[in-house]
Amino acid sequence: MTSQKYDFRQFQEELAKLERKVEKQQPSKPLGKKAVAAQRLAMAREEFLVLRKRHELTVADVVAFFPEEEGIAYLQQLIVAAQAKPRRTRKVTEAPDAG
């Protein structure tokens, strides 16, 4: 973070402004439930990343905004998600025997 302390109220105001912006945007034709959920998640992720980059927030800064139990639960979800992805292993090709 910068030398100034980032004000939580300022963060809330920016989030509220983004929510109002999203509410104003109406799709031209109705979307399905899955499409709406995916679109909402994508927009939220994009907006969050913009805020995080603008204010140079770390994961610790973001987690600190939430109550302790919610922050711990969030970190546990991140760990589970990272462990759930199977790691890709490199295939090792054996050299033919010279003999």
Side-chain angles (χ1 to χ4, degrees):
M1 286 182 58
T2 61
S3 60
Q4 290 180 307
K5 268 283 201 204
Y6 181 66
D7 186 12
F8 182 64
R9 280 186 234 129
Q10 181 183 357
F11 181 73
Q12 287 180 322
E13 289 170 5
E14 290 175 0
L15 284 177
K17 188 187 305 182
L18 290 172
E19 287 175 359
R20 280 185 246 119
K21 179 181 171 185
V22 169
E23 289 173 357
K24 289 180 184 178
Q25 297 174 349
Q26 296 295 327
S28 58
K29 66 178 190 177
L31 300 173
K33 288 182 180 180
K34 288 184 180 181
V36 170
Q39 183 181 25
R40 188 178 305 136
L41 181 62
M43 288 178 66
R45 175 183 221 99
E46 180 181 329
E47 292 166 357
F48 171 75
L49 292 174
V50 168
L51 282 174
R52 196 181 97 198
K53 185 176 181 181
R54 182 184 316 147
H55 299 288
E56 300 175 3
L57 299 173
T58 64
V59 173
D61 297 326
V62 174
V63 172
F65 283 126
F66 299 101
E68 185 176 343
E69 298 82 21
E70 290 181 30
I72 292 171
Y74 175 70
L75 289 175
Q76 288 173 339
Q77 289 175 354
L78 289 177
I79 291 168
V80 168
Q83 290 175 346
K85 295 180 182 176
R87 295 188 178 206
R88 296 179 72 183
T89 58
R90 294 175 60 181
K91 293 183 180 178
V92 179
T93 56
E94 294 183 23
D97 291 334

